[in-house]
């Protein structure tokens, strides 16, 4: 008898009365199959995978596969790896970083939802999961395809790495403002271009359409319309609530339909009443019961739909993964030592083994160090340290950065050899310049809209129940002089409103008491409407789209209160609600608040002894108690001449103060580490000896920012970036106001030089004290207890000594700490390396914990 058992190493043939064993050594996998032949000749096979096959005497075959042993669904890559066919003795060890977080590729793909011709979202066809082998295991090639990973083989080690990696563009080109415009900004641009005749149309019930526009206006108008239009039809219920039509679906307008949409802007009144015991008010809907209209639903793609773009420039790029440039030699003799990898649990543990075994001082970025590591290797297997480090770089799409300038070097396994904070700061600098220019352009458009006085064309609709009578409308318009009047309106007796409006308010109060009161909680209590007979009435403007086949469609992103009213009015008064009857402050006196227990302080930076004397006289005349003389003395560069000049200023001020008994105290202000902005980078400075301030000069060492520039250099670069995008040079002072250069804390002899200067100044007879100013460059101070560190990282800089110390303490290179960037839909997700900021206090101990958030 010939017995064929597919994929079977051992087959047991059972025939009534005897057994026959056949060894089929050619099979690749081990699966036991039991073959039974009954007296009538029926052959039945039962495999360990649950498959039952019956062959009848006439040759017909019946196969039944049991579902009891069906493989479990693969929700993550780890589920598949645990059952992967991988023999480490034959194929070498395999390591994978954080397979628990790797979902099937079709789940993680960032695809924009597709909409079919019927207006419904198209459900993507899901790929079939890999088919398990008869023993329930999976081929690695099937897993890599399904989970979107690539197999990377080194000499003695393999890993499953991402097929793509993220590269940030830190030098974006000329911005495209139109690509970054939100719909509200496109509408503002359109409004600024309208003629008086077009404003009349937009204010009429007919509205403004494509046929009423020039070719340029037409492009703006069509780009303002969402595509596709997701409209939800609603019906106003009792009390102003909306009843939604759940059958609403995205609407795809044909070219003719889009060309037929018209834009209408009208005034609407809003009525609100105070609540007991709180400052905010309850606004009553002015829509009548039974009114139907559409609501335009945004899908979150108000501007650039590509989340990797900003102002039309590609910032985040996903490119095929490769081994990035490295600052360590993986083939160096020190990294040829074998590392046992069995049992490693995290990336941090793997790097610790490398450091402990090879004595090469390499650390894992704290964000990557905590990631789990999946390992398949025997207890006796080891791999070269350099190969293990290279494999981790592949798995993280990262790089090893050299930090120390010393002979041996200190290394950190992180996202790239260039700091993440450096790259984010450069992107942020560019984006701020573009955004400032964009803001200026929008301000110009707003001014153009105001000059057209469009409110003369924007009125209440004839059938609007909220339309105010002339008396009430004049009261509201009178309140438009300040911002509070524009937002909150004015208080009007309910009796002065129309009967229809009074009915709207009555129904609104009833609906609040019935349905909404339980939702308005403050200090543990629900709040009643405080009905005093007075109603706050405000007037806003509301744009609506008139869509063929739908009717009125409201845009919630441009709802009343979005600021459109203020854009149509002259700028509001700078001071809202001045205190009534407040006495005018005399121009020649200074009124000090009573809470200033130490009296007034007058800060002045005199250049000559005469100016110092006049400053004291002015302070005495105004009854001030202290005068701070900010001395033109920089200890890091002061020679004997500069020190003598500073002491002369102090002596002149003290002498003037002593001429009368009621003299202000003289305090000397000394800037310890800051440098004048105008100083050249190679300005010679004094070299301090132990007991004298010598006149010899050396080149000063300046603190640098996170981008490797001095603060002044960074400020000048930002100005150049601003001018490069065709902006007017109006922002230099803004960019340079915080661009003070600083002395590096590592300048030789700095401490003794500072102490010498302070001692000389303090020895001046009659001096009451010294104020130490600019004692540390920005970012070198610790945050307050319980407060996270949120300083702008752009001006922070770290020497190699600081960076090495921080890496050793926390596993993080400070130049990887960047501030958050939030512009539009820009997504800067870097997979394994987030850009969270750092330095938080432990709430239990109050001890600073320098670790990533």
């Amino acid at each position: 008898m010939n017995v064929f058992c597919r994929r079977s190493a051992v087959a047991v043939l059972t025939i009534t009365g005897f057994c026959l064993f056949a060894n089929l050594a050619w099979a690749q996998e081990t699966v036991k199959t039991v073959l039974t032949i009954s007296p009538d000749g029926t052959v039945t096979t039962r495999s360990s995978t649950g498959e039952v096959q019956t062959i009848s005497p006439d040759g017909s075959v019946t196969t039944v596969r049991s579902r009891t042993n069906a493989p479990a669904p693969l929700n993550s890559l780890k589920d598949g790896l645990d059952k992967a066919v991988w023999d480490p003795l034959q194929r070498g060890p395999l390591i994978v970083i954080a397979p628990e977080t790797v979902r099937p590729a079709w789940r993680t793909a960032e695809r924009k939802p597709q909409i079919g011709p019927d207006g419904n979202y198209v459900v993507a066809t899901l790929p079939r999961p890999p088919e398990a082998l008869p023993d329930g295991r999976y081929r690695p090639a099937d897993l890599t395809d399904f989970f979107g990973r690539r197999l990377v083989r080194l000499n003695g080690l393999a890993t499953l790495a991402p097929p793509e990696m993220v590269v940030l563009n830190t030098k974006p080109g000329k911005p495209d403002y139109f690509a970054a415009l939100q719909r509200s900004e496109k509408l503002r641009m359109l409004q600024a271009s309208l003629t008086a005749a077009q404003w009349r149309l937009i204010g009429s019930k007919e509205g403004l359409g494509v046929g009423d526009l020039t070719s340029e206006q037409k492009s703006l108008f069509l780009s303002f319309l969402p595509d596709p239009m997701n409209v939800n039809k609603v019906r106003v219920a009792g009390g102003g609530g909306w009843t939604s039509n759940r059958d609403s679906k995205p609407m795809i307008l044909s070219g003719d339909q889009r060309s037929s949409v018209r834009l209408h802007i009208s005034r609407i009144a809003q009525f609100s009443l105070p609540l007991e015991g709180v400052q905010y008010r309850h606004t009553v809907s002015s829509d009548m019961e039974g009114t139907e209209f559409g609501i335009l639903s945004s899908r979150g793609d108000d501007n650039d739909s590509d989340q990797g773009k900003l102002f039309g420039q590609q910032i985040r790029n996903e490119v095929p993964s490769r081994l990035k440039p490295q600052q360590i030699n993986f083939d160096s003799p020190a990294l040829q030592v074998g590392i046992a990898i069995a049992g490693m649990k995290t990336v941090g543990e793997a790097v610790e083994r490398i450091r402990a075994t090879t004595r090469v001082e390499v650390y894992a970025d704290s964000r990557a160090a905590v990631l789990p590591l999946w390992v398949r290797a025997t207890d006796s297997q080891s791999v070269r340290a350099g190969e293990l480090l290279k494999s981790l770089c592949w798995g993280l799409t990262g790089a090893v950065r050299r930090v120390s300038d010393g002979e041996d070097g200190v290394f950190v396994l992180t996202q790239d050899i260039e700091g993440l904070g450096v790259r984010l700061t450069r992107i942020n600098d560019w984006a701020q310049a573009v955004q400032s220019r964009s803001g200026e352009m929008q301000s110009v458009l707003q001014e153009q809209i105001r000059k057209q006085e469009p409110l003369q064309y924007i009125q209440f609709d004839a059938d609007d129940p909220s339309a105010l009578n002339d008396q009430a409308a004049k009261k509201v318009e009178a309140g438009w002089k300040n911002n509070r009047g524009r937002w909150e309106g004015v208080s009007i007796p309910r009796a002065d409103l129309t009967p229809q409006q009074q009915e709207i308010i009555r129904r609104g109060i009833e609906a609040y008491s019935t349905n909404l009161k339980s939702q308005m909680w403050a200090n543990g209590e629900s709040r009643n409407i405080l009905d005093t007979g007075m109603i706050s009435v405000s007037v806003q403007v509301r744009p609506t789209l008139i869509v063929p086949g739908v009717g009125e469609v409201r845009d919630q992103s441009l709802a009343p209160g979005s600021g459109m009213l203020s854009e149509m009015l002259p700028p509001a008064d700078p001071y809202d609600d001045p205190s009534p009857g407040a006495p005018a402050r005399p121009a020649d006196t200074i009124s000090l608040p009573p809470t200033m227990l130490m009296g007034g302080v007058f800060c002045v930076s005199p250049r000559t002894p005469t100016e110092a004397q006049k400053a004291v006289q002015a302070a005495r005349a105004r009854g001030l108690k202290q005068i701070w003389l900010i001395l033109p003395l920089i200890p890091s560069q002061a020679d004997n001449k500069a020190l003598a000049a500073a002491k002369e200023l102090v002596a002149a001020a003290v002498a003037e103060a002593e001429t009368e008994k009621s003299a202000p105290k003289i305090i000397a202000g000394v800037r310890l580490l800051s440098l004048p902005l105008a100083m050249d980078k190679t300005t010679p400075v004094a070299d301090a000896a132990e007991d004298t301030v010598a006149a010899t000069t050396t080149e000063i060492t300046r603190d640098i920012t996170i981008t490797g520039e001095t603060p002044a250099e960074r400020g000048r670069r930002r100005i150049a970036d601003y001018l490069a995008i065709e902006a007017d040079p109006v922002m230099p002072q803004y960019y340079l106001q915080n661009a003070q250069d600083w002395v590096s804390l590592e300048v030789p002899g700095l401490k003794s030089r500072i102490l010498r200067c302070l001692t000389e100044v303090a020895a001046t007879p009659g001096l009451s004290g010294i104020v130490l100013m600019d004692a540390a460059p920005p970012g070198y101070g610790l945050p307050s207890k319980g407060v996270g560190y949120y300083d702008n990282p752009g001006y922070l800089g770290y020497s190699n000594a600081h960076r090495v110390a921080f890496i050793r303490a926390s596993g993080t290179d400070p130049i990887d700490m960047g501030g958050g960037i939030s512009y539009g839909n820009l997504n800067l997700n870097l997979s394994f390396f987030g850009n969270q900021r750092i330095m938080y206090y432990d709430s239990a101990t109050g001890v600073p914990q320098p670790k990533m958030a």
Side-chain angles (χ1 to χ4, degrees), residues 227-472:
D227 186 16
M229 295 185 69
N230 191 353
V231 177
N232 185 23
K233 293 296 292 290
V234 299
R235 183 183 182 89
V236 179
W242 294 347
T243 301
S244 176
N245 181 358
R246 297 185 179 273
D247 295 331
S248 174
K249 62 182 181 181
M251 294 182 55
I252 299 181
L253 302 185
S254 65
D256 291 340
Q257 286 177 304
R258 282 177 62 81
S259 299
S260 300
V261 173
R262 305 187 70 82
L263 174 65
H264 170 54
I265 301 179
S266 61
R267 297 191 189 194
I268 66 164
Q270 293 183 324
F271 310 104
S272 59
L273 299 97
L275 299 175
E276 293 179 340
V278 291
Q279 295 295 322
Y280 48 84
R281 310 172 73 86
H282 173 64
T283 299
V284 175
S285 172
S286 59
D287 290 313
M288 295 298 292
E289 184 176 357
T291 304
E292 292 186 348
F293 51 86
I295 295 294
L296 190 63
S297 176
S298 172
R299 296 205 326 271
D301 54 355
D302 200 32
N303 46 15
D304 280 340
S305 59
D306 187 344
Q307 294 186 338
K309 281 188 174 182
L310 185 61
F311 296 107
Q313 291 292 316
Q314 193 71 33
I315 304 298
R316 183 181 188 270
N317 298 279
E318 292 188 3
V319 300
S321 62
R322 54 176 173 76
L323 189 63
K324 293 180 177 178
Q326 308 287 324
Q327 292 182 333
I328 194 171
N329 182 9
F330 296 121
D331 298 322
S332 66
L335 293 178
Q336 302 312 301
V337 181
I339 303 291
I341 64 173
M344 291 191 306
K345 301 298 184 184
T346 63
V347 172
E349 184 180 346
V351 175
E352 286 177 9
R353 288 194 189 185
I354 295 173
R355 185 171 66 250
T357 305
T358 65
R359 305 299 181 186
V360 174
E361 196 171 1
V362 57
Y363 298 86
D365 187 303
S366 59
R367 294 163 294 185
V370 298
L371 295 176
L373 194 63
W374 184 93
V375 179
R376 179 165 291 181
T378 65
D379 293 340
S380 61
Q381 282 184 311
S382 63
V383 298
R384 293 185 297 108
E387 194 167 344
L388 175 57
L389 199 54
K390 182 187 289 187
S391 180
L392 295 175
C393 289
W394 270 107
L396 294 168
T397 64
V400 178
R401 178 191 305 147
R402 182 187 178 100
V403 178
S404 174
D405 291 331
E407 180 179 353
D408 296 329
V410 172
F411 302 90
V412 59
L413 171 61
T414 186
Q415 202 266 338
D416 203 287
I417 58 175
E418 186 177 28
L420 175 59
V422 177
R423 286 171 284 158
L424 293 180
T425 298
R426 289 190 177 276
I427 294 171
N428 196 47
D429 287 350
W430 175 84
Q432 282 188 354
V434 178
Q435 195 171 55
S436 297
R437 175 58 174 161
S438 179
E440 290 178 8
M441 294 170 59
Q442 293 298 317
S443 297
V444 171
L445 294 175
Q446 290 181 23
E447 187 59 31
Q448 292 176 357
I449 294 173
R450 289 186 175 119
K451 288 181 179 179
Q452 298 172 9
E453 299 182 359
L455 280 177
Q456 61 181 306
Y457 311 110
I458 307 299
Q459 302 296 329
F460 290 99
D461 289 339
D463 57 350
D464 183 359
S466 75
L468 301 178
N469 56 38
D470 291 342
Q471 182 181 5

Side-chain angles (χ1 to χ4, degrees), residues 446-779:
Q446 290 181 23
E447 187 59 31
Q448 292 176 357
I449 294 173
R450 289 186 175 119
K451 288 181 179 179
Q452 298 172 9
E453 299 182 359
L455 280 177
Q456 61 181 306
Y457 311 110
I458 307 299
Q459 302 296 329
F460 290 99
D461 289 339
D463 57 350
D464 183 359
S466 75
L468 301 178
N469 56 38
D470 291 342
Q471 182 181 5
K474 289 180 180 178
K475 290 183 179 180
V476 172
E477 291 176 5
W480 285 348
K481 294 181 180 179
N482 57 62
N483 283 321
R484 175 169 293 184
R486 297 179 183 185
W487 293 102
E488 298 182 6
V490 297
S491 185
I492 296 178
R494 186 191 298 184
D496 290 351
L497 301 177
T498 66
Q500 193 174 26
Q501 291 165 355
Q502 294 184 42
E503 178 62 16
I504 290 174
I505 295 169
R506 187 194 68 78
R507 290 185 178 183
I509 295 175
E510 181 180 345
Y512 175 85
S513 302
T514 304
N515 303 318
L516 301 177
K517 176 182 174 182
S518 59
Q519 303 174 20
M520 302 297 290
W521 283 74
N523 299 326
E525 299 179 6
S526 60
R527 300 293 171 168
N528 296 316
I529 285 181
L530 190 62
D531 189 1
T532 61
M534 302 294 290
I535 304 296
S536 289
V537 182
S538 65
V539 170
Q540 300 292 330
V541 294
R542 177 168 63 199
T544 57
L545 299 176
I546 305 172
V547 181
V550 179
E552 176 190 355
V553 175
R554 299 180 185 178
D555 188 346
Q556 293 301 94
S557 65
L558 300 172
S562 60
M564 189 177 296
L565 174 68
S566 292
E567 294 180 5
M568 295 181 175
L569 292 168
D573 291 339
Y575 302 106
D576 287 347
D577 297 332
S579 301
R585 178 180 297 176
D588 57 347
T589 62
I590 297 177
S591 176
L592 300 179
T595 54
M596 292 185 64
L597 301 180
M598 296 181 62
V601 176
F602 182 33
C603 294
V604 64
S605 300
R607 292 168 295 179
T608 65
T610 301
E611 288 183 357
Q613 292 172 341
K614 291 183 177 180
V616 175
Q617 295 168 2
R620 181 193 294 122
R622 288 164 173 77
L624 301 179
K625 303 302 182 184
Q626 291 186 23
I627 179 170
W628 291 9
L629 297 178
I630 312 303
L631 301 178
L633 177 67
I634 300 176
S636 60
Q637 63 167 153
D639 55 14
N640 289 331
K641 183 178 180 181
L643 185 56
K647 293 167 61 177
E648 186 178 3
L649 293 175
V650 177
V654 170
E656 177 63 32
E658 291 177 344
T659 59
E660 294 187 20
K661 292 183 179 181
S662 58
K665 294 182 178 181
I666 306 300
I667 309 292
V670 181
R671 301 184 185 275
L672 300 184
L673 297 174
S674 63
L675 295 169
L677 189 61
M679 281 184 60
D680 184 78
K681 192 172 184 178
T682 58
T683 299
V685 297
D687 184 17
E690 292 185 358
D691 54 351
T692 62
V693 179
T696 58
T697 61
T698 59
E699 182 177 340
I700 195 167
T701 301
R702 297 168 184 256
D703 188 67
I704 60 173
T705 69
I706 196 169
T707 56
E709 308 155 291
T710 69
E713 288 172 339
R714 177 172 179 265
R716 294 187 181 100
R717 174 175 60 80
R718 297 186 70 190
I719 294 174
D721 290 344
Y722 190 83
L723 297 179
I725 57 175
E726 300 180 357
D728 295 328
V730 296
M731 300 295 287
Q733 183 60 37
Y734 169 77
Y735 285 133
L736 284 175
Q737 62 182 354
N738 294 320
Q740 184 70 51
D741 277 353
W742 298 81
V743 180
S744 170
L745 299 176
E746 298 178 345
V747 170
L750 179 62
K751 179 179 178 180
S752 61
R753 185 153 52 244
I754 289 177
L755 290 175
R756 179 65 176 176
C757 287
L758 295 179
T759 301
E760 291 279 350
V761 172
T764 305
L767 183 66
S768 297
I770 292 182
V771 174
L772 306 182
M773 306 172 65
D774 296 348

Side-chain angles (χ1 to χ4, degrees), residues 805-844:
F806 202 87
I807 290 171
R808 287 169 174 165
S810 69
T812 301
D813 191 343
I815 68 171
D816 285 321
M817 302 186 310
I821 296 180
S822 177
Y823 295 97
N825 294 327
L826 182 64
N827 172 22
L828 294 182
N829 176 38
L830 298 181
S831 301
F832 302 104
F833 300 90
N835 61 352
Q836 300 96 333
R837 285 165 282 194
I838 198 167
M839 189 67 79
Y840 289 85
Y841 270 83
D842 185 281
S843 59

Side-chain angles (χ1 to χ4, degrees), residues 792-803:
N792 183 343
Y795 292 106
L796 308 186
Y798 309 94
S799 67
N800 280 343
H802 289 116
R803 291 170 59 192

